[in-house]
Amino acid sequence: MNHLPITEDTVIFGLLCLCLGFVFYTSSIKTGFWKKFYAVVPTLLMCYLLPAILTSSGLISEENSKLYYIASRYLLPAALVLMTLSIDLQAILNLGSKALIMFLTGTVGIIIGGPIAILIVSTFSPETVGGNDFDAVWRGLSTIAGSWIGGGANQAAMLEVFAYNPKKFGDMVLVDIVVANIWMAIILLGIGKTKRIDKWLKADTSSIETLKQKVSDYTAKITRVTTLNDYIILLSLAFTAVGIAHFAGFHFSEYLQENFEVIRNKQKALSSLGSKFLWMVVFATTIGIILSFTKAKNYEGAGASKIGGLFIYILVATIGMKMDLGSFLDKPGLILVGLIWISIHAGLLILVAKIIRAPYFFLSVGSQANVGGAASAPIVAAEFHPSLTSVGILLAVLGYVVGTAGAYICGLLMEIASKV
């Protein structure tokens, strides 16, 4: 009797934990094949790819899984609290304007990348970017622009604004997920070569290194043998904050939608500010920052950011599980449009980073704050150092703010490009 694919979340979670355990065990081996392997492939990328292989091979099905929802709504905000406990707010501010410049460059890359991709593909496959009325492909691509500049709320707003045929929306979600995940994998691959990339960019990484050193020195000073008491207090702090963040995020977004037409109306540029997920992330981060001014900051010595890192890796595994590597073959034309589009975004980021000598950290986090949003920007930032997590969050929140307006401009440009 064939029981594949596995659909029970308890079994799938066990397999995801097996993947994480395998990656961390093999990456701890400092000789032979595995040492050479992890010198090229970052552990975070492997934690992401192995679950994708489980899905792509048909071993597991994530279609009705609640694991990503639980990881993104429970573990992500808890991780944000634990990883911002030891934050040095002044040092974050001292990072300067390059983070913002790279984020905005990423946004511009997506706005102009969509119409350019349509123009390129229309030269050899006009039917791929064609369509009439509400089936017009440019309408669907505008939803991807919403997702890539902001997030899910912005994507939903573009579906409302440009009235794309809902029956075909699934194709656009596929392109969004496949291309965004490929790009994230490339960014993670680059993290293992950060020093070489920064050298090529001639980047000034002094402010980042100063921040990392300050946090590392502080952590070393307060590190102690962790007790059960410490763990329980850490979990209490984290998940009490998660509860508060959800409660405040839900009611605040409800308040905004009830009292402001500009947020209630999905056709308005600021409608994404009604996102409950956005405000949950904002409140969780705010609580973490407030705790950093109290004695709770000393719990970094008991491993606060390490537990936060554990939660982040579980989230990474659930994100990887949503990626079906075989879906490349389903809509090759549209996937090609997405790949050209993201390449323009990437090319512009590299060009500007080279001109202003921005570190790879700002390039990768600026990009993920756009394309990945609040779920993946902190992951990428934390891979550089837990103390940098908040940079990813702040830029991702900015993405939600500009997402709908940026995607709307992109949609109009794509409409023009499709008629050239």
Side-chain angles (χ1 to χ4, degrees):
M1 189 173 177
N2 187 11
H3 291 286
L4 295 178
I6 296 165
T7 56
E8 295 86 356
D9 272 348
T10 45
V11 182
I12 294 173
F13 184 66
L15 288 170
L16 296 184
C17 288
L18 178 63
C19 290
L20 293 175
F22 171 79
V23 172
F24 275 81
Y25 174 73
T26 52
S27 66
S28 69
I29 298 171
K30 299 303 178 188
T31 56
F33 168 77
W34 290 115
K35 182 184 179 184
K36 293 174 185 174
F37 180 81
Y38 286 104
V40 178
V41 182
T43 52
L44 188 64
L45 179 57
M46 283 297 292
C47 293
Y48 176 76
L49 283 180
L50 288 184
I53 292 169
L54 294 181
T55 301
S56 305
S57 64
L59 182 63
I60 64 173
S61 171
E62 62 79 38
E63 198 172 330
N64 298 310
S65 175
K66 298 288 189 294
L67 289 177
Y68 172 74
Y69 180 85
I70 291 169
S72 61
R73 267 59 175 184
Y74 292 60
L75 300 185
L76 173 63
L80 298 180
V81 172
L82 293 171
M83 295 172 96
T84 50
L85 268 182
S86 60
I87 193 173
D88 187 324
L89 205 56
Q90 186 56 49
I92 290 285
L93 296 174
N94 289 343
L95 290 176
S97 60
K98 287 183 182 178
L100 185 61
I101 292 170
M102 293 311 294
F103 166 79
L104 293 173
T105 298
T107 303
V108 171
I110 290 162
I111 291 172
I112 66 171
I116 293 172
I118 287 177
L119 288 171
I120 292 171
V121 174
S122 66
T123 60
F124 58 87
S125 181
E127 66 279 2
T128 300
V129 291
N132 298 309
D133 300 324
F134 299 115
D135 287 343
V137 171
W138 69 265
R139 294 180 190 272
L141 293 175
S142 71
T143 66
I144 297 177
S147 175
W148 284 358
I149 299 174
N154 308 83
Q155 186 172 36
M158 289 302 100
L159 187 62
E160 293 271 338
V161 171
F162 289 111
Y164 184 57
N165 184 348
K167 291 179 181 177
K168 294 190 173 185
F169 180 53
D171 294 347
M172 297 302 161
V173 173
L174 173 73
V175 175
D176 175 9
I177 292 171
V178 170
V179 176
N181 279 282
I182 290 170
W183 177 232
M184 185 173 176
I186 292 169
I187 281 178
L188 295 179
L189 201 57
I191 291 175
K193 300 175 176 59
T194 301
K195 286 186 178 177
R196 282 167 61 186
I197 295 171
D198 283 341
K199 189 176 179 182
W200 179 77
L201 291 170
K202 296 179 180 175
D204 176 15
T205 60
S206 56
S207 59
I208 296 172
E209 294 305 321
T210 301
L211 173 58
K212 284 159 64 173
Q213 192 59 49
K214 281 183 76 173
V215 173
S216 297
D217 290 346
Y218 178 73
T219 303
K221 191 173 74 175
I222 59 171
T223 296
R224 60 181 188 266
V225 176
T226 312
T227 64
L228 176 62
N229 190 60
D230 290 327
Y231 284 129
I232 290 174
I233 290 174
L234 278 171
L235 288 181
S236 173
L237 286 171
F239 287 101
T240 301
V242 170
I244 294 169
H246 273 276
F247 180 83
F250 176 82
H251 287 286
F252 190 62
S253 64
E254 288 284 299
Y255 171 79
L256 291 176
Q257 289 180 52
E258 285 172 10
N259 292 280
F260 298 96
E261 168 65 19
V262 71
I263 289 172
R264 185 167 58 249
N265 185 346
K266 287 190 176 178
Q267 297 190 12
K268 300 291 185 182
L270 294 177
S271 62
S272 61
L273 291 180
S275 166
K276 295 178 180 64
F277 180 75
L278 166 66
W279 290 111
M280 180 269 291
V281 167
V282 170
F283 281 114
T285 307
T286 303
I287 292 168
I289 292 170
I290 291 169
L291 288 173
S292 76
F293 290 99
T294 70
K295 287 184 179 178
K297 183 171 186 172
N298 292 330
Y299 278 97
E300 174 58 25
S305 62
K306 291 185 178 69
I307 297 173
L310 167 65
F311 293 160
I312 288 288
Y313 274 98
I314 294 171
L315 173 62
V316 168
T318 64
I319 293 173
M321 178 186 72
K322 293 166 71 68
M323 173 68 171
D324 184 354
L325 300 170
S327 56
F328 279 96
L329 308 173
D330 291 351
K331 297 284 176 184
L334 285 175
I335 297 289
L336 179 61
V337 173
L339 290 173
I340 294 170
W341 190 351
I342 208 78
S343 298
I344 293 164
H345 163 80
L348 191 61
L349 278 167
I350 293 166
L351 176 66
V352 173
K354 185 77 171 166
I355 292 169
I356 68 169
R357 298 185 176 185
Y360 181 64
F361 168 73
F362 290 144
L363 187 155
S364 54
V365 175
S367 173
Q368 279 304 300
N370 279 285
V371 180
S376 64
I379 294 172
V380 172
E383 185 64 6
F384 286 89
H385 195 273
S387 64
L388 297 168
T389 307
S390 52
V391 180
I393 301 158
L394 293 170
L395 292 178
V397 170
L398 189 58
Y400 274 84
V401 174
V402 303
T404 302
Y408 182 72
I409 294 167
C410 181
L412 296 179
L413 291 174
M414 287 192 291
E415 180 183 13
I416 295 165
S418 67
K419 292 174 181 175
V420 170

